[in-house]
């Protein structure tokens, strides 16, 4: 764990934010980014040292992380990063698919030329990140592109619901960003074309298939990992 935390040392907690929340957010981000991996043992003293805080806010954050499904607290063993099950992934990504499909339909109805231009910029960023093999950049670009579609959809309730599932979607997506990359970004290209044409039905269909393929790919990777353990 020390190596992962050392690599993420730039994410030390800053004091202006309420400390409990800042520690919780920092640990969540370390999990989402993959710096702390599923099944990894979390040692309070090491986390406190690398975040630059005392052990008490770390202990409180771990309790909250358990409630939120990021961490498992095991009696007499300690805290471990939660390992998502196939069923958990299917449920979350299934909900995401429904929401994103509707988001794409609305985006196609609402998109202005400058919106399409921004989507194309994000598409270029993603393709460049894929070519460079930069996973962090790739995940960031993917998140930004989907967020842009949601913003163009201009539905506040939909945006709020997608934000609720967004962190865990990013957590699931990070380990498959590169192997799924070429196919996923080709699908993004088709999505942007449909949005640019104002074809809501086509945009929704492309997004539905896109999110379902991502879900299927993740589940296959999860099953393969389980088979190797």
């Amino acid at each position: 764990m020390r190596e992962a935390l050392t690599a993420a040392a730039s994410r030390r907690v800053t004091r202006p934010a309420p400390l409990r929340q800042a520690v919780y957010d920092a640990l969540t981000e370390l999990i989402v980014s993959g710096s702390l991996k599923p099944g990894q043992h979390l040692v309070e003293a090491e986390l406190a040292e690398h975040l630059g805080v005392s052990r008490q806010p770390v202990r409180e954050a771990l309790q909250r992380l358990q409630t939120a499904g990021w961490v498992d607290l095991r009696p007499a063993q300690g805290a471990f990063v939660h390992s998502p099950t196939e069923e958990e992934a299917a449920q979350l990504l299934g909900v995401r698919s429904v929401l994103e499909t509707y988001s794409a339909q609305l985006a196609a109805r609402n998109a202005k030329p400058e919106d399409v231009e921004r989507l194309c910029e994000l598409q270029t960023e993603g393709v460049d990140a894929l070519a460079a093999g930069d996973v962090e950049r790739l995940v960031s670009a993917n998140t930004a592109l989907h967020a842009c579609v949601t913003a163009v959809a201009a539905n506040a309730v939909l945006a709020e619901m997608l934000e609720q599932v967004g962190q865990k979607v990013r957590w699931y997506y990070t380990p498959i960003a590169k192997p799924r990359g070429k196919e996923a970004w080709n699908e993004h290209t088709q999505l942007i074309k449909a949005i640019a044409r104002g074809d809501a039905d086509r945009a929704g269909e492309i997004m539905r298939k896109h999110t379902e393929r991502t879900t299927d790919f993740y589940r296959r990777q999860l099953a393969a990992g389980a088979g190797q353990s």
Side-chain angles (χ1 to χ4, degrees):
M1 185 172 77
R2 286 183 178 276
E3 291 78 8
L5 290 168
T6 298
S10 61
R11 295 179 178 140
R12 287 173 71 88
V13 169
T14 54
R15 294 282 174 171
L19 188 56
R20 292 179 184 178
Q21 186 63 43
V23 171
Y24 176 87
D25 291 343
L27 292 177
T28 303
E29 182 58 31
L30 286 169
I31 293 170
V32 170
S33 68
S35 296
L36 297 174
K37 301 186 182 305
Q40 187 169 340
H41 186 208
L42 303 175
V43 180
E44 282 184 13
E46 291 182 12
L47 293 172
E49 178 185 351
H50 285 277
L51 294 176
V53 299
S54 68
R55 292 175 63 173
Q56 182 60 31
V58 170
R59 187 175 302 118
E60 293 172 356
L62 291 174
Q63 293 284 349
R64 286 184 59 196
L65 289 165
Q66 180 188 38
T67 301
W70 296 106
V71 165
D72 297 326
L73 297 180
R74 303 173 190 168
Q77 295 183 53
F80 297 81
V81 178
H82 179 66
S83 297
T85 66
E86 185 177 342
E87 183 61 24
E88 287 172 347
Q91 290 183 9
L92 183 87
L93 296 175
V95 170
R96 179 243 188 168
S97 181
V98 172
L99 296 175
E100 293 262 32
T101 296
Y102 184 43
S103 180
Q105 292 170 338
L106 292 179
R109 293 176 186 140
N110 296 333
K112 299 178 177 62
E114 57 266 31
D115 298 324
V116 175
E117 183 178 350
R118 177 57 181 155
L119 286 169
C120 289
E121 290 172 356
L122 292 169
Q123 172 72 6
T124 299
E125 168 65 13
V127 171
D128 289 348
L130 181 62
D134 188 332
V135 174
E136 186 172 349
R137 234 179 102 197
L138 190 57
V139 173
S140 178
N142 182 74
T143 301
L145 189 146
H146 280 264
C148 185
V149 172
T150 301
V152 176
N155 183 307
V157 174
L158 179 63
E160 182 179 357
M161 295 175 75
L162 279 166
E163 185 178 1
Q164 288 176 9
V165 301
Q167 273 190 318
K168 285 194 176 174
V169 168
R170 185 158 63 95
W171 185 32
Y172 294 167
Y173 185 69
T174 296
I176 66 170
K178 282 177 68 175
R180 166 86 172 110
K182 184 176 181 181
E183 182 183 45
W185 288 91
N186 286 340
E187 291 159 10
H188 286 158
T189 297
Q190 298 306 312
L191 174 65
I192 294 169
K193 288 179 179 178
I195 290 174
R197 292 196 306 270
D199 189 340
D201 290 342
R202 180 64 180 150
E205 180 65 9
I206 291 169
M207 182 66 92
R208 182 185 65 78
K209 289 181 178 178
H210 172 68
T211 53
E212 287 179 354
R213 285 170 183 154
T214 297
T215 300
D216 289 343
F217 195 99
Y218 179 82
R219 292 175 74 176
R220 289 197 301 273
Q221 294 287 101
L222 200 63
Q228 293 169 5
S229 61

